[in-house]
Amino acid sequence: MTTLFIKTKDTFQGDNTNRVWPLSYPYLSVQDLRVTVINPKGIGACVNKHLRFDSENVCIVYPTLESDLQPLGEGWSICIERQAPICRQIPATDSALLAPEDLTPIEKLARIEEIRAIKHIQKEGV
């Protein structure tokens, strides 16, 4: 079973006010995420200070209020990218043995769709 993760990054434009940047794709751990701030000239720098991962709201806060840094201005952007592999190779014999809590959100959806397809085939007698 191979599960593909299509989307792996979000890029947002600064607006002088926003500090909260939502994540629109699954990730296994915040350690898998890389945050890069890009200046108006297109030069990026990886950020690992003055940010907070908010797992409850599935977003990144940058810059934090505690940092005393101003929000990203116009012309600036922030890129949040998952560095984990885009797919996991799981032998078909092992995929059925994985507990639901070991599956990523996309893998859970893939398993549900796989079960639906099997039920449809059984129902139709194909």
Side-chain angles (χ1 to χ4, degrees), residues 1-2 7 13 20 30 34 54 58 63 90 97 102 107 113 115:
M1 175 174 140
T2 300
K7 187 168 185 182
Q13 300 302 312
V20 179
V30 295
R34 179 175 66 186
D54 183 344
V58 193
I90 303 171
L97 301 175
D102 293 332
E107 289 169 336
E113 289 303 313
I115 291 168

Side-chain angles (χ1 to χ4, degrees), residues 50-106:
H50 310 299
L51 63 102
R52 178 173 52 86
F53 295 97
D54 183 344
S55 59
E56 184 176 324
N57 295 307
V58 193
C59 65
I60 290 176
V61 178
Y62 177 83
T64 60
L65 290 172
E66 299 82 22
S67 71
D68 287 328
L69 295 173
Q70 295 297 313
L72 294 177
E74 291 186 25
W76 288 75
S77 59
I78 185 169
C79 177
I80 305 164
E81 186 172 17
R82 184 182 63 238
Q83 297 297 298
I86 61 168
C87 68
R88 296 196 303 172
Q89 290 292 340
I90 303 171
T93 56
D94 294 344
S95 67
L97 301 175
L98 287 175
E101 60 270 11
D102 293 332
L103 298 174
T104 65
I106 297 296

